[in-house]
Amino acid sequence: MSLISLSHLDQDLQKKYVLSCLAEIWQDMGLTVHVGPGYAENADLCVLHHDVTRLSPNRVPQAPEGMRVLNGKVLDISKRRYSSLRVQPGADWDGPVIVKSNLNHFGGPEARNLPRLTQLRLKAQRRLARLNWDLARCLPKKTYPVLDRLDKVPGWVWERDDLLVERFMPEREGDHYCLRGWLFFGSASYGYKLVATDPLVKVRTMVRYEYLEEVPPELQRHREEMGFDFGKFDYVMQDGRAILLDANKTPSFAGDRRSERILRLARAVEEFLP
């Protein structure tokens, strides 16, 4: 019986993660799944699943000698690594811009590891940011400000290496906005498109969604360059070209945990097992 060892910072793999869905299916397939900070010595396959933007090489757990580690090369998913829309002060761009966190998922995983007093100060800043994010010198919680022009970006934003400014180039469909996603594990994958009334495509403003079959070549290249075996990319299409907005190595999932699409991802683990 093959053993799949998942290096996760907690002993409990929360159900919000896609990998939690896959692990449940793997067990139904007769595979054994081990979850913990380190890898099991008798593992047949290892998966690195640390929910942080950057992982220092000296914090990567040691896998059994010669063992394949899925996502073992994905140690930095900060947006500055791959953003093709990033602009600097004074750039030749007269359209709208968006101010983002350079960290994955609004920097939430990193915030949980901050000292207690720092967390309290950040929480107070975010409360003020609901009213005036410029005055608070902090982005609003779980959203990114969109500004009409580059010269409206506050000066303090440019001084922060945990933030970046991008050209705001949403994908439109009539009066609506679109966001696409690509979820993959090994050779198995599926795509989708969300359509919403909000420019940032919030779930609460979503009007419909559809599944996609084709994978844009630009995303394939990003995946190869960053070394992803498993993950999710968010992107938009502009002039027939895919623009990567977010690369996630520990994606979350909400939906049918036994859908044929998820089952297909889970079965792809056989590609990596001896």
Side-chain angles (χ1 to χ4, degrees):
M1 182 181 296
S2 295
L3 170 62
I4 304 174
S5 184
L6 315 180
S7 176
H8 186 67
L9 293 177
D10 301 315
Q11 294 289 344
D12 178 36
L13 185 62
Q14 298 175 44
K15 286 187 175 293
K16 69 176 183 177
Y17 292 112
V18 171
L19 196 61
S20 170
C21 299
L22 304 187
E24 292 172 3
I25 298 169
W26 292 337
Q27 290 172 322
D28 292 344
M29 292 167 57
L31 304 173
T32 301
V33 178
H34 169 271
V35 180
Y39 296 120
E41 292 184 4
N42 57 336
D44 296 292
L45 177 67
C46 299
V47 184
L48 184 63
H49 194 264
H50 289 206
D51 192 2
V52 291
T53 304
R54 298 188 189 91
L55 185 60
S56 173
N58 59 20
R59 292 188 59 194
V60 176
Q62 187 68 40
E65 186 175 354
M67 186 56 54
R68 174 73 181 267
V69 180
L70 301 189
N71 277 5
K73 297 178 181 178
V74 187
L75 304 184
D76 183 357
I77 56 171
S78 55
K79 294 181 182 67
R80 292 188 181 204
R81 280 204 61 201
Y82 55 80
S83 174
S84 62
L85 300 178
R86 187 182 174 198
V87 291
Q88 300 286 4
D92 185 19
W93 172 253
D94 59 2
V97 295
I98 183 169
V99 183
K100 292 183 175 182
S101 168
N102 186 42
L103 303 176
N104 187 53
H105 197 60
F106 305 97
E110 284 75 14
R112 289 195 295 270
N113 295 322
L114 293 173
R116 178 63 176 166
L117 288 178
T118 305
Q119 289 189 36
L120 293 174
R121 185 171 68 249
L122 181 59
K123 189 175 293 187
Q125 279 184 291
R126 285 177 172 166
R127 282 198 294 267
L128 177 58
R130 296 176 192 166
L131 303 175
N132 189 321
W133 67 274
D134 184 10
L135 179 63
R137 299 174 73 90
C138 174
L139 298 188
K141 187 176 180 180
K142 293 189 176 182
T143 192
Y144 294 138
V146 176
L147 306 173
D148 294 337
R149 302 191 313 273
L150 186 62
D151 60 10
K152 287 191 175 183
V153 177
W156 59 267
V157 169
W158 302 114
E159 301 168 3
R160 298 261 298 268
D161 59 8
D162 64 327
L163 302 177
L164 77 160
V165 181
E166 292 183 332
R167 289 173 285 153
F168 184 57
M169 298 177 63
E171 179 179 348
R172 301 293 298 270
E173 192 173 283
D175 293 331
H176 296 138
Y177 298 85
C178 307
L179 178 67
R180 300 171 186 246
W182 179 42
L183 185 62
F184 53 86
F185 190 102
S187 65
S189 71
Y190 70 88
Y192 56 86
K193 181 172 75 171
L194 311 179
V195 182
T197 58
D198 187 280
L200 298 185
V201 192
K202 303 287 189 181
V203 173
R204 65 177 180 273
T205 65
M206 189 172 68
V207 295
R208 69 176 181 278
Y209 68 91
E210 61 186 80
Y211 290 107
L212 308 172
E213 295 299 328
E214 294 185 8
V215 180
E218 295 86 3
L219 297 189
Q220 294 279 19
R221 286 196 291 271
H222 278 296
R223 178 179 174 179
E224 292 171 7
E225 291 168 359
M226 299 177 73
F228 271 80
D229 298 298
F230 156 65
K232 181 175 75 74
F233 288 175
D234 290 338
Y235 67 103
V236 292
M237 296 296 296
Q238 290 287 348
D239 298 322
R241 182 173 65 92
I243 299 177
L244 179 62
L245 300 180
D246 186 74
N248 193 341
K249 60 182 177 175
T250 55
S252 298
F253 178 78
D256 183 357
R257 299 172 69 85
R258 289 295 191 278
S259 73
E260 181 52 42
R261 295 175 181 84
I262 292 295
L263 291 171
R264 191 164 65 244
L265 294 183
R267 296 187 195 109
V269 73
E270 296 175 345
E271 301 170 9
F272 305 104
L273 292 172

mmCIF file of all heavy atoms in Angstrom, residues 174-207:
data_model
loop_
_atom_site.group_PDB
_atom_site.id
_atom_site.type_symbol
_atom_site.label_atom_id
_atom_site.label_comp_id
_atom_site.label_asym_id
_atom_site.label_seq_id
_atom_site.Cartn_x
_atom_site.Cartn_y
_atom_site.Cartn_z
ATOM 1 N N GLY A 174 -19.562 42.558 -21.657
ATOM 2 C CA GLY A 174 -20.656 43.513 -21.534
ATOM 3 C C GLY A 174 -20.403 44.428 -20.345
ATOM 4 O O GLY A 174 -19.326 45.014 -20.197
ATOM 5 N N ASP A 175 -21.387 44.522 -19.451
ATOM 6 C CA ASP A 175 -21.250 45.349 -18.252
ATOM 7 C C ASP A 175 -20.600 44.580 -17.100
ATOM 8 O O ASP A 175 -20.414 45.140 -16.021
ATOM 9 C CB ASP A 175 -22.627 45.857 -17.800
ATOM 10 C CG ASP A 175 -23.236 46.828 -18.804
ATOM 11 O OD1 ASP A 175 -22.450 47.507 -19.498
ATOM 12 O OD2 ASP A 175 -24.471 46.892 -18.892
ATOM 13 N N HIS A 176 -20.278 43.315 -17.324
ATOM 14 C CA HIS A 176 -19.745 42.472 -16.262
ATOM 15 C C HIS A 176 -18.232 42.302 -16.378
ATOM 16 O O HIS A 176 -17.624 42.639 -17.399
ATOM 17 C CB HIS A 176 -20.439 41.108 -16.275
ATOM 18 C CG HIS A 176 -21.890 41.176 -15.970
ATOM 19 N ND1 HIS A 176 -22.839 40.446 -16.658
ATOM 20 C CD2 HIS A 176 -22.576 41.900 -15.053
ATOM 21 C CE1 HIS A 176 -24.043 40.706 -16.173
ATOM 22 N NE2 HIS A 176 -23.914 41.586 -15.195
ATOM 23 N N TYR A 177 -17.660 41.755 -15.300
ATOM 24 C CA TYR A 177 -16.221 41.506 -15.223
ATOM 25 C C TYR A 177 -15.971 40.007 -15.065
ATOM 26 O O TYR A 177 -16.772 39.300 -14.454
ATOM 27 C CB TYR A 177 -15.622 42.248 -14.022
ATOM 28 C CG TYR A 177 -15.774 43.743 -14.102
ATOM 29 C CD1 TYR A 177 -16.945 44.369 -13.665
ATOM 30 C CD2 TYR A 177 -14.757 44.539 -14.619
ATOM 31 C CE1 TYR A 177 -17.097 45.744 -13.741
ATOM 32 C CE2 TYR A 177 -14.890 45.917 -14.694
ATOM 33 C CZ TYR A 177 -16.066 46.514 -14.267
ATOM 34 O OH TYR A 177 -16.211 47.871 -14.343
ATOM 35 N N CYS A 178 -14.852 39.547 -15.633
ATOM 36 C CA CYS A 178 -14.550 38.113 -15.638
ATOM 37 C C CYS A 178 -13.224 37.832 -14.938
ATOM 38 O O CYS A 178 -12.273 38.606 -15.031
ATOM 39 C CB CYS A 178 -14.473 37.575 -17.063
ATOM 40 S SG CYS A 178 -15.913 37.940 -18.082
ATOM 41 N N LEU A 179 -13.178 36.706 -14.265
ATOM 42 C CA LEU A 179 -11.946 36.186 -13.704
ATOM 43 C C LEU A 179 -11.900 34.698 -14.017
ATOM 44 O O LEU A 179 -12.877 33.980 -13.807
ATOM 45 C CB LEU A 179 -11.891 36.393 -12.181
ATOM 46 C CG LEU A 179 -10.648 35.829 -11.483
ATOM 47 C CD1 LEU A 179 -9.399 36.598 -11.901
ATOM 48 C CD2 LEU A 179 -10.809 35.873 -9.973
ATOM 49 N N ARG A 180 -10.762 34.236 -14.523
ATOM 50 C CA ARG A 180 -10.617 32.833 -14.884
ATOM 51 C C ARG A 180 -9.658 32.135 -13.931
ATOM 52 O O ARG A 180 -8.775 32.771 -13.333
ATOM 53 C CB ARG A 180 -10.087 32.716 -16.319
ATOM 54 C CG ARG A 180 -11.007 33.358 -17.354
ATOM 55 C CD ARG A 180 -10.343 33.421 -18.717
ATOM 56 N NE ARG A 180 -11.168 34.152 -19.666
ATOM 57 C CZ ARG A 180 -11.754 33.614 -20.734
ATOM 58 N NH1 ARG A 180 -11.607 32.313 -20.984
ATOM 59 N NH2 ARG A 180 -12.473 34.344 -21.546
ATOM 60 N N GLY A 181 -9.856 30.841 -13.798
ATOM 61 C CA GLY A 181 -8.984 30.049 -12.945
ATOM 62 C C GLY A 181 -8.589 28.753 -13.613
ATOM 63 O O GLY A 181 -9.326 28.229 -14.465
ATOM 64 N N TRP A 182 -7.425 28.243 -13.245
ATOM 65 C CA TRP A 182 -6.932 26.964 -13.752
ATOM 66 C C TRP A 182 -6.402 26.170 -12.571
ATOM 67 O O TRP A 182 -5.442 26.588 -11.918
ATOM 68 C CB TRP A 182 -5.837 27.188 -14.794
ATOM 69 C CG TRP A 182 -5.236 25.934 -15.355
ATOM 70 C CD1 TRP A 182 -5.899 24.799 -15.712
ATOM 71 C CD2 TRP A 182 -3.851 25.690 -15.630
ATOM 72 N NE1 TRP A 182 -5.015 23.856 -16.194
ATOM 73 C CE2 TRP A 182 -3.755 24.383 -16.162
ATOM 74 C CE3 TRP A 182 -2.692 26.457 -15.489
ATOM 75 C CZ2 TRP A 182 -2.530 23.822 -16.527
ATOM 76 C CZ3 TRP A 182 -1.482 25.904 -15.868
ATOM 77 C CH2 TRP A 182 -1.403 24.603 -16.386
ATOM 78 N N LEU A 183 -7.042 25.051 -12.259
ATOM 79 C CA LEU A 183 -6.655 24.185 -11.155
ATOM 80 C C LEU A 183 -6.049 22.918 -11.738
ATOM 81 O O LEU A 183 -6.636 22.301 -12.626
ATOM 82 C CB LEU A 183 -7.885 23.848 -10.301
ATOM 83 C CG LEU A 183 -7.670 23.037 -9.027
ATOM 84 C CD1 LEU A 183 -6.775 23.774 -8.043
ATOM 85 C CD2 LEU A 183 -9.016 22.737 -8.371
ATOM 86 N N PHE A 184 -4.874 22.518 -11.236
ATOM 87 C CA PHE A 184 -4.170 21.397 -11.860
ATOM 88 C C PHE A 184 -3.440 20.548 -10.826
ATOM 89 O O PHE A 184 -3.043 21.012 -9.754
ATOM 90 C CB PHE A 184 -3.173 21.913 -12.902
ATOM 91 C CG PHE A 184 -2.217 22.955 -12.380
ATOM 92 C CD1 PHE A 184 -1.039 22.604 -11.747
ATOM 93 C CD2 PHE A 184 -2.506 24.311 -12.524
ATOM 94 C CE1 PHE A 184 -0.157 23.558 -11.262
ATOM 95 C CE2 PHE A 184 -1.621 25.280 -12.033
ATOM 96 C CZ PHE A 184 -0.452 24.899 -11.407
ATOM 97 N N PHE A 185 -3.299 19.270 -11.168
ATOM 98 C CA PHE A 185 -2.491 18.320 -10.395
ATOM 99 C C PHE A 185 -1.884 17.356 -11.413
ATOM 100 O O PHE A 185 -2.613 16.607 -12.063
ATOM 101 C CB PHE A 185 -3.326 17.556 -9.375
ATOM 102 C CG PHE A 185 -2.507 16.745 -8.403
ATOM 103 C CD1 PHE A 185 -2.286 17.191 -7.109
ATOM 104 C CD2 PHE A 185 -1.943 15.534 -8.784
ATOM 105 C CE1 PHE A 185 -1.521 16.452 -6.225
ATOM 106 C CE2 PHE A 185 -1.173 14.790 -7.912
ATOM 107 C CZ PHE A 185 -0.959 15.237 -6.624
ATOM 108 N N GLY A 186 -0.573 17.376 -11.537
ATOM 109 C CA GLY A 186 0.055 16.570 -12.562
ATOM 110 C C GLY A 186 -0.481 16.946 -13.929
ATOM 111 O O GLY A 186 -0.596 18.131 -14.268
ATOM 112 N N SER A 187 -0.863 15.950 -14.720
ATOM 113 C CA SER A 187 -1.376 16.211 -16.064
ATOM 114 C C SER A 187 -2.871 16.507 -16.081
ATOM 115 O O SER A 187 -3.422 16.870 -17.122
ATOM 116 C CB SER A 187 -1.090 15.009 -16.970
ATOM 117 O OG SER A 187 -1.811 13.870 -16.521
ATOM 118 N N ALA A 188 -3.540 16.335 -14.941
ATOM 119 C CA ALA A 188 -4.989 16.577 -14.869
ATOM 120 C C ALA A 188 -5.257 18.026 -14.480
ATOM 121 O O ALA A 188 -4.547 18.597 -13.641
ATOM 122 C CB ALA A 188 -5.632 15.636 -13.859
ATOM 123 N N SER A 189 -6.284 18.607 -15.057
ATOM 124 C CA SER A 189 -6.609 19.991 -14.731
ATOM 125 C C SER A 189 -8.009 20.323 -15.230
ATOM 126 O O SER A 189 -8.595 19.585 -16.022
ATOM 127 C CB SER A 189 -5.600 20.951 -15.358
ATOM 128 O OG SER A 189 -5.747 21.011 -16.766
ATOM 129 N N TYR A 190 -8.514 21.455 -14.753
ATOM 130 C CA TYR A 190 -9.726 22.021 -15.335
ATOM 131 C C TYR A 190 -9.717 23.525 -15.115
ATOM 132 O O TYR A 190 -9.063 24.045 -14.210
ATOM 133 C CB TYR A 190 -10.999 21.382 -14.768
ATOM 134 C CG TYR A 190 -11.326 21.703 -13.328
ATOM 135 C CD1 TYR A 190 -12.083 22.823 -12.993
ATOM 136 C CD2 TYR A 190 -10.909 20.858 -12.301
ATOM 137 C CE1 TYR A 190 -12.410 23.098 -11.676
ATOM 138 C CE2 TYR A 190 -11.234 21.130 -10.980
ATOM 139 C CZ TYR A 190 -11.977 22.249 -10.662
ATOM 140 O OH TYR A 190 -12.296 22.523 -9.364
ATOM 141 N N GLY A 191 -10.428 24.225 -15.996
ATOM 142 C CA GLY A 191 -10.500 25.676 -15.895
ATOM 143 C C GLY A 191 -11.929 26.132 -15.684
ATOM 144 O O GLY A 191 -12.881 25.366 -15.838
ATOM 145 N N TYR A 192 -12.062 27.392 -15.323
ATOM 146 C CA TYR A 192 -13.394 27.972 -15.128
ATOM 147 C C TYR A 192 -13.328 29.479 -15.326
ATOM 148 O O TYR A 192 -12.250 30.095 -15.285
ATOM 149 C CB TYR A 192 -13.934 27.638 -13.723
ATOM 150 C CG TYR A 192 -13.022 28.067 -12.597
ATOM 151 C CD1 TYR A 192 -13.077 29.357 -12.068
ATOM 152 C CD2 TYR A 192 -12.087 27.177 -12.064
ATOM 153 C CE1 TYR A 192 -12.237 29.742 -11.032
ATOM 154 C CE2 TYR A 192 -11.239 27.559 -11.037
ATOM 155 C CZ TYR A 192 -11.322 28.839 -10.527
ATOM 156 O OH TYR A 192 -10.484 29.227 -9.517
ATOM 157 N N LYS A 193 -14.492 30.056 -15.563
ATOM 158 C CA LYS A 193 -14.613 31.512 -15.695
ATOM 159 C C LYS A 193 -15.750 31.998 -14.820
ATOM 160 O O LYS A 193 -16.865 31.479 -14.895
ATOM 161 C CB LYS A 193 -14.864 31.906 -17.156
ATOM 162 C CG LYS A 193 -14.979 33.414 -17.351
ATOM 163 C CD LYS A 193 -15.026 33.803 -18.830
ATOM 164 C CE LYS A 193 -16.356 33.493 -19.466
ATOM 165 N NZ LYS A 193 -16.469 34.076 -20.833
ATOM 166 N N LEU A 194 -15.461 32.978 -13.975
ATOM 167 C CA LEU A 194 -16.463 33.597 -13.119
ATOM 168 C C LEU A 194 -16.843 34.945 -13.715
ATOM 169 O O LEU A 194 -15.974 35.695 -14.171
ATOM 170 C CB LEU A 194 -15.916 33.802 -11.705
ATOM 171 C CG LEU A 194 -15.234 32.600 -11.035
ATOM 172 C CD1 LEU A 194 -14.724 32.991 -9.653
ATOM 173 C CD2 LEU A 194 -16.184 31.420 -10.943
ATOM 174 N N VAL A 195 -18.132 35.257 -13.706
ATOM 175 C CA VAL A 195 -18.625 36.527 -14.231
ATOM 176 C C VAL A 195 -19.384 37.236 -13.111
ATOM 177 O O VAL A 195 -20.269 36.644 -12.476
ATOM 178 C CB VAL A 195 -19.553 36.309 -15.446
ATOM 179 C CG1 VAL A 195 -20.020 37.648 -16.009
ATOM 180 C CG2 VAL A 195 -18.833 35.499 -16.521
ATOM 181 N N ALA A 196 -19.006 38.495 -12.839
ATOM 182 C CA ALA A 196 -19.586 39.221 -11.702
ATOM 183 C C ALA A 196 -19.792 40.685 -12.052
ATOM 184 O O ALA A 196 -19.271 41.190 -13.051
ATOM 185 C CB ALA A 196 -18.683 39.084 -10.481
ATOM 186 N N THR A 197 -20.539 41.351 -11.198
ATOM 187 C CA THR A 197 -20.784 42.783 -11.395
ATOM 188 C C THR A 197 -19.685 43.627 -10.789
ATOM 189 O O THR A 197 -19.522 44.792 -11.145
ATOM 190 C CB THR A 197 -22.130 43.183 -10.769
ATOM 191 O OG1 THR A 197 -22.119 42.841 -9.366
ATOM 192 C CG2 THR A 197 -23.290 42.465 -11.444
ATOM 193 N N ASP A 198 -18.901 43.072 -9.858
ATOM 194 C CA ASP A 198 -17.830 43.804 -9.187
ATOM 195 C C ASP A 198 -16.540 43.705 -10.002
ATOM 196 O O ASP A 198 -16.194 42.625 -10.479
ATOM 197 C CB ASP A 198 -17.615 43.224 -7.784
ATOM 198 C CG ASP A 198 -16.646 44.047 -6.966
ATOM 199 O OD1 ASP A 198 -15.425 43.887 -7.159
ATOM 200 O OD2 ASP A 198 -17.085 44.849 -6.131
ATOM 201 N N PRO A 199 -15.804 44.792 -10.162
ATOM 202 C CA PRO A 199 -14.553 44.750 -10.932
ATOM 203 C C PRO A 199 -13.546 43.743 -10.409
ATOM 204 O O PRO A 199 -12.733 43.223 -11.173
ATOM 205 C CB PRO A 199 -14.017 46.180 -10.823
ATOM 206 C CG PRO A 199 -15.216 47.023 -10.561
ATOM 207 C CD PRO A 199 -16.130 46.169 -9.730
ATOM 208 N N LEU A 200 -13.587 43.456 -9.098
ATOM 209 C CA LEU A 200 -12.662 42.486 -8.520
ATOM 210 C C LEU A 200 -13.271 41.084 -8.471
ATOM 211 O O LEU A 200 -12.681 40.178 -7.882
ATOM 212 C CB LEU A 200 -12.238 42.930 -7.115
ATOM 213 C CG LEU A 200 -11.492 44.278 -7.051
ATOM 214 C CD1 LEU A 200 -11.019 44.555 -5.627
ATOM 215 C CD2 LEU A 200 -10.327 44.316 -8.011
ATOM 216 N N VAL A 201 -14.440 40.922 -9.070
ATOM 217 C CA VAL A 201 -15.125 39.628 -9.187
ATOM 218 C C VAL A 201 -15.277 38.966 -7.812
ATOM 219 O O VAL A 201 -14.715 37.907 -7.536
ATOM 220 C CB VAL A 201 -14.394 38.685 -10.179
ATOM 221 C CG1 VAL A 201 -15.271 37.480 -10.495
ATOM 222 C CG2 VAL A 201 -14.046 39.410 -11.473
ATOM 223 N N LYS A 202 -16.029 39.609 -6.962
ATOM 224 C CA LYS A 202 -16.351 39.058 -5.654
ATOM 225 C C LYS A 202 -17.424 37.969 -5.800
ATOM 226 O O LYS A 202 -18.319 38.071 -6.651
ATOM 227 C CB LYS A 202 -16.884 40.158 -4.727
ATOM 228 C CG LYS A 202 -15.937 41.334 -4.532
ATOM 229 C CD LYS A 202 -14.769 40.979 -3.653
ATOM 230 C CE LYS A 202 -13.963 42.209 -3.308
ATOM 231 N NZ LYS A 202 -12.802 41.899 -2.458
ATOM 232 N N VAL A 203 -17.331 36.945 -4.966
ATOM 233 C CA VAL A 203 -18.292 35.842 -5.041
ATOM 234 C C VAL A 203 -19.718 36.343 -4.835
ATOM 235 O O VAL A 203 -20.654 35.904 -5.514
ATOM 236 C CB VAL A 203 -17.945 34.758 -4.001
ATOM 237 C CG1 VAL A 203 -19.034 33.693 -3.952
ATOM 238 C CG2 VAL A 203 -16.605 34.113 -4.342
ATOM 239 N N ARG A 204 -19.893 37.281 -3.917
ATOM 240 C CA ARG A 204 -21.251 37.743 -3.615
ATOM 241 C C ARG A 204 -21.872 38.517 -4.778
ATOM 242 O O ARG A 204 -23.096 38.744 -4.793
ATOM 243 C CB ARG A 204 -21.239 38.613 -2.351
ATOM 244 C CG ARG A 204 -20.478 39.916 -2.478
ATOM 245 C CD ARG A 204 -20.576 40.737 -1.195
ATOM 246 N NE ARG A 204 -19.849 41.994 -1.285
ATOM 247 C CZ ARG A 204 -18.568 42.143 -1.000
ATOM 248 N NH1 ARG A 204 -17.869 41.101 -0.596
ATOM 249 N NH2 ARG A 204 -17.972 43.319 -1.108
ATOM 250 N N THR A 205 -21.049 38.957 -5.744
ATOM 251 C CA THR A 205 -21.597 39.679 -6.892
ATOM 252 C C THR A 205 -21.546 38.842 -8.172
ATOM 253 O O THR A 205 -21.790 39.361 -9.252
ATOM 254 C CB THR A 205 -20.831 40.996 -7.122
ATOM 255 O OG1 THR A 205 -19.465 40.701 -7.488
ATOM 256 C CG2 THR A 205 -20.843 41.858 -5.877
ATOM 257 N N MET A 206 -21.238 37.553 -8.025
ATOM 258 C CA MET A 206 -21.139 36.679 -9.191
ATOM 259 C C MET A 206 -22.525 36.417 -9.776
ATOM 260 O O MET A 206 -23.472 36.136 -9.049
ATOM 261 C CB MET A 206 -20.463 35.369 -8.802
ATOM 262 C CG MET A 206 -20.119 34.482 -9.979
ATOM 263 S SD MET A 206 -19.106 33.068 -9.478
ATOM 264 C CE MET A 206 -20.298 32.133 -8.496
ATOM 265 N N VAL A 207 -22.631 36.496 -11.092
ATOM 266 C CA VAL A 207 -23.911 36.266 -11.757
ATOM 267 C C VAL A 207 -23.939 34.911 -12.456
ATOM 268 O O VAL A 207 -25.017 34.356 -12.677
ATOM 269 C CB VAL A 207 -24.229 37.397 -12.761
ATOM 270 C CG1 VAL A 207 -24.432 38.711 -12.028
ATOM 271 C CG2 VAL A 207 -23.139 37.531 -13.815
#
